[in-house]
Amino acid sequence: MNGQLDQYTIELLDHLCDPVPGASAPGAKEKDTVQDLLQKARQEERTGPIVELFRTLKELRDHSSLSARALGVSREELERLARRHQEIDEHMVSVGGRVGQALAIVGQANARVDDYLERKDREAPSGIELWDRIQENQERIRKALAMDEEAWNSFAGQIRHAVGSVDELASLIDLPPAAVADIARVTRNYRMRLTPYYTSLIMPGEINDPIMLQSVPTGEMVDNAGIEIPPVAADHSPARLVDQFYPRVVTIKSTNMCAMYCTHCLRIAHIGRKDKMFSKDAYGEALDYIRVNPRIRDVLITGGDALVLPNSMLRWLLEQLDTIDHVRLKRLGTRVPVTAPMRVDEELLDILEASNDIKPLRVVTQINTAREITPVSQQAFRRIAKRVFAVLNQAVLLRGINDSRVKMWKLCETIQEACVRPYYIFNCSYRNPQFAHFRVPVEKGRDIVESMYGNIVGDAIPRYIATAGGKIPMHRSNVVGREGGELILRKPWNGEVVRYPDADPDVYGSSDFSFSRYTS
Ligand SMILES: *Cc1c(COP(=O)(O)O)cnc(C)c1O
Ligand code: SF4
């Protein structure tokens, strides 16, 4: 039995037991409360009542200047209970540590997320929380487009009935006449296409609805000043359909089609104005390039949207890649699980799993708001996640869509609950004036991303990236200085500065390392 009381407990006991000069006497109510707690702490073989007694005594001491003795509890009694607490606790945690330290630390940590918890469902409701209203929208849109349930629930039906003109859109959601005229002007130059499903995520009456911002082009796209910088692909495409920035990863731009066309699309030039089918010859040339380049380890099938490809083509492409020895991993880039989740059927899942069984396959998606996670898209992602190595999200930081702490935390947490891992947050590109209005300052993005550390779980925190001829991580350094062998680090969540001894360079540089010690 360990009779020793630790420093935390001794300090707490001193604090509770020292008489307070000039303190008024406790009321009967306080005394009764304390005596009740004391009874429980004596009788029960549990830590909880002991903690509750000490916590209450501390509160009465801190806020009402009442000492334990004044409340009728002796120091000896408290010491006995403190010893018993330590005996009961599996990790021999002292009551002084728990009440004096841990509860206070947890209290401070809680305060960091209280504001988020209070605001998240109001400021950034997910499609799950809005599901009743989305279903009402779906009923209305389905009837207006004369779609039966079967058409609604099939990918082909969603594409066949896709909303491609402003008049059609105006008949489904409330659009002010000025917006209609402007959208008509812009869509002469840029494509608009929303699946009926994606359209149903728009909340009528919401100005700058985050779904509309992503899918309905506005006048800014043509009015933004600036000369378009040519698409990067032109100088990074070493072979037909192939883009290459890095030695060991290439992308195959497998189609120019998407189920929905994003207003902030980086590939806007490649998407063009009309759907094109690519020939097997084109894929063949891309595969030939990969086949003869043994450095290439990871192949990303993108588009447009890879899941717009028919299953037969997708299966063939994955099979081809799986026959190339040096290709060890694959990825599919797609927004279809958020824009048309009906695409995710058993046949597709079987194709993904079969390929993943041969070499790991990841699905990389783009979800920008919690709104895009509905019960239907959540289900689609969870089903995919069961069949592949990982489902990763690349969000784009976009003004009005996700440019606040509350919205971004909520996005990351909501997608994680759909088994999607936050991977990247891209600062919106400077290359295309079409979406200059969506850009958010880098510093603001950093504040948002860094606010996640210590407050949401580590595997829900993405990396913040600016694309400038490759992906450049934008993390502000948490290393604020160095003194001798020590780094000065700042905790991003509360600004606290701590010293961190770095590895000893002499030890690190020594030849006397590990197994080398056995050779001389
Ligand atoms: C993003 C990207 C990659 C892959 O980048 P990771 O950092 O490995 O995810 C490869 N090629 C191109 C052209 C890309 O845009
Ligand atoms: S899904 Fe991707 S490729 Fe297609 S329009 Fe959106 S951002 Fe562009």
Side-chain angles (χ1 to χ4, degrees):
M1 203 180 291
N2 185 354
Q4 285 286 349
L5 296 175
D6 72 350
Q7 196 54 37
Y8 290 140
T9 305
I10 292 167
E11 277 168 20
L12 182 60
L13 286 168
D14 289 347
H15 178 60
L16 298 181
C17 298
D18 280 355
V20 189
S24 51
K29 190 164 143 271
E30 281 108 352
K31 265 187 147 161
D32 286 353
T33 305
V34 167
Q35 289 303 318
D36 278 357
L37 291 172
L38 182 61
Q39 283 306 320
K40 285 204 185 93
R42 277 180 186 146
Q43 285 161 8
E44 295 183 25
E45 261 307 298
R46 301 186 324 122
T47 58
I50 302 174
V51 168
E52 195 47 30
L53 173 68
F54 275 73
R55 204 188 56 73
T56 305
L57 287 173
K58 184 170 184 298
E59 214 170 85
L60 289 168
R61 174 66 184 78
D62 291 344
H63 300 124
S64 312
S65 299
L66 295 169
S67 71
R69 187 175 302 279
L71 289 156
V73 190
S74 72
R75 178 159 184 140
E76 295 66 41
E77 176 100 64
L78 289 177
E79 285 182 1
R80 213 167 20 250
L81 289 169
R83 285 199 187 86
R84 200 144 68 81
H85 181 282
Q86 215 155 315
E87 284 161 25
I88 298 171
D89 190 273
E90 284 73 9
H91 302 289
M92 289 172 290
V93 174
S94 69
V95 70
R98 191 154 277 155
V99 172
Q101 304 289 312
L103 288 177
I105 291 169
V106 169
Q108 283 161 17
N110 287 345
R112 294 202 305 266
V113 298
D114 284 346
D115 175 66
Y116 167 68
L117 294 177
E118 199 264 311
R119 289 162 61 184
K120 69 186 178 80
D121 295 351
R122 187 160 29 86
E123 288 179 29
S126 72
I128 295 166
E129 287 142 15
L130 291 172
W131 188 234
D132 286 347
R133 289 176 64 191
I134 292 170
Q135 279 181 302
E136 285 168 26
N137 295 343
Q138 291 188 350
E139 272 308 296
R140 192 185 70 242
I141 291 167
R142 202 170 58 72
K143 292 214 177 81
L145 295 175
M147 294 174 78
D148 57 22
E149 298 264 1
E150 200 186 318
W152 183 275
N153 291 319
S154 78
F155 183 66
Q158 288 287 329
I159 297 298
R160 197 164 59 241
H161 292 92
V163 181
S165 75
V166 64
D167 293 335
E168 205 176 0
L169 183 68
S171 73
L172 300 176
I173 58 171
D174 275 338
L175 276 180
V180 174
D182 212 31
I183 295 164
R185 175 171 69 100
V186 181
T187 47
R188 283 199 284 275
N189 288 310
Y190 295 105
R191 297 191 73 163
M192 177 175 78
R193 169 152 86 187
L194 292 82
T195 58
Y197 166 84
Y198 202 69
T199 312
S200 77
L201 306 187
I202 296 170
M203 289 297 137
E206 189 168 328
I207 301 161
N208 277 337
D209 177 282
I211 301 299
M212 274 178 74
L213 287 177
Q214 291 185 66
S215 55
V216 180
T218 63
E220 293 144 305
M221 279 186 88
V222 285
D223 299 340
N224 287 344
I227 299 154
E228 186 177 350
I229 300 160
V232 193
D235 38 298
H236 285 275
S237 182
R240 199 168 169 188
L241 303 189
V242 173
D243 270 359
Q244 184 164 17
F245 279 77
Y246 305 108
R248 310 198 67 194
V249 194
V250 298
T251 65
I252 301 177
K253 292 167 290 176
S254 64
T255 170
N256 79 327
M257 294 183 251
C258 298
M260 182 276 277
Y261 292 105
C262 308
T263 50
H264 56 275
C265 176
L266 258 190
R267 296 165 189 269
I268 202 158
H270 159 68
I271 296 291
R273 294 197 201 175
K274 64 183 207 323
D275 292 349
K276 281 186 245 168
M277 292 296 286
F278 295 176
S279 69
K280 257 199 165 151
D281 270 354
Y283 296 125
E285 283 194 47
L287 291 166
D288 286 345
Y289 178 80
I290 295 164
R291 210 170 275 122
V292 300
N293 280 281
R295 285 189 189 84
I296 297 170
R297 172 176 174 267
D298 187 5
V299 177
L300 180 42
I301 302 174
T302 68
D305 194 307
L307 288 189
V308 167
L309 293 178
N311 282 345
S312 56
M313 182 59 80
L314 209 53
R315 182 190 286 120
W316 179 79
L317 264 175
L318 289 168
E319 280 171 359
Q320 290 297 306
L321 291 173
D322 284 331
T323 65
I324 303 173
D325 201 39
H326 53 267
V327 173
R328 299 298 165 85
L329 305 119
K330 299 99 44 182
R331 301 185 222 185
L332 292 178
T334 180
R335 283 202 88 179
V336 154
V338 286
T339 57
M342 308 73 187
R343 172 73 178 86
V344 182
D345 59 15
E346 275 306 313
E347 190 184 62
L348 173 66
L349 293 167
D350 287 344
I351 292 169
L352 301 183
E353 183 175 3
S355 181
N356 185 64
D357 282 347
I358 299 168
K359 295 170 186 180
L361 174 65
R362 298 94 96 207
V363 169
V364 183
T365 191
Q366 187 198 134
I367 313 162
N368 294 320
T369 58
R371 170 92 63 92
E372 289 163 294
I373 296 294
T374 66
V376 180
S377 61
Q378 184 194 57
Q379 180 73 7
F381 280 120
R382 285 182 175 180
R383 290 171 77 203
I384 296 170
K386 275 192 194 166
R387 308 289 197 100
V388 300
F389 166 37
V391 185
L392 307 171
N393 189 46
Q394 304 188 333
V396 186
L397 178 62
L398 297 164
R399 179 163 186 196
I401 294 171
N402 54 24
D403 60 334
S404 76
R405 189 177 54 95
V406 170
K407 287 176 185 169
M408 197 58 94
W409 289 22
K410 180 74 182 275
L411 169 66
C412 290
E413 292 194 335
T414 307
I415 66 175
Q416 189 186 37
E417 289 160 27
C419 301
V420 177
R421 290 182 211 169
Y423 177 37
Y424 284 145
I425 292 177
F426 292 117
N427 188 259
C428 184
S429 173
Y430 65 91
R431 284 191 156 259
N432 302 65
Q434 292 97 327
F435 39 81
H437 55 291
F438 280 133
R439 302 198 69 220
V440 176
V442 166
E443 196 60 20
K444 170 116 195 220
R446 280 166 154 179
D447 283 346
I448 291 171
V449 176
E450 299 221 336
S451 71
M452 295 186 195
Y453 289 95
N455 295 325
I456 73 175
V457 290
D459 67 335
I461 303 178
R463 269 169 275 173
Y464 181 38
I465 302 288
T467 307
K471 298 180 177 70
I472 303 173
M474 287 286 102
H475 280 211
R476 180 191 292 118
S477 177
N478 295 319
V479 182
V480 296
R482 172 187 276 280
E483 277 172 29
E486 285 187 333
L487 300 177
I488 316 293
L489 304 182
R490 190 174 43 214
K491 297 183 181 176
W493 53 87
N494 63 5
E496 187 190 337
V497 171
V498 291
R499 290 173 168 271
Y500 177 83
D502 203 357
D504 183 332
D506 291 339
V507 174
Y508 181 66
S510 81
S511 54
D512 192 26
F513 170 62
S514 231
F515 290 100
S516 62
R517 288 194 241 188
Y518 308 129
T519 61
S520 61

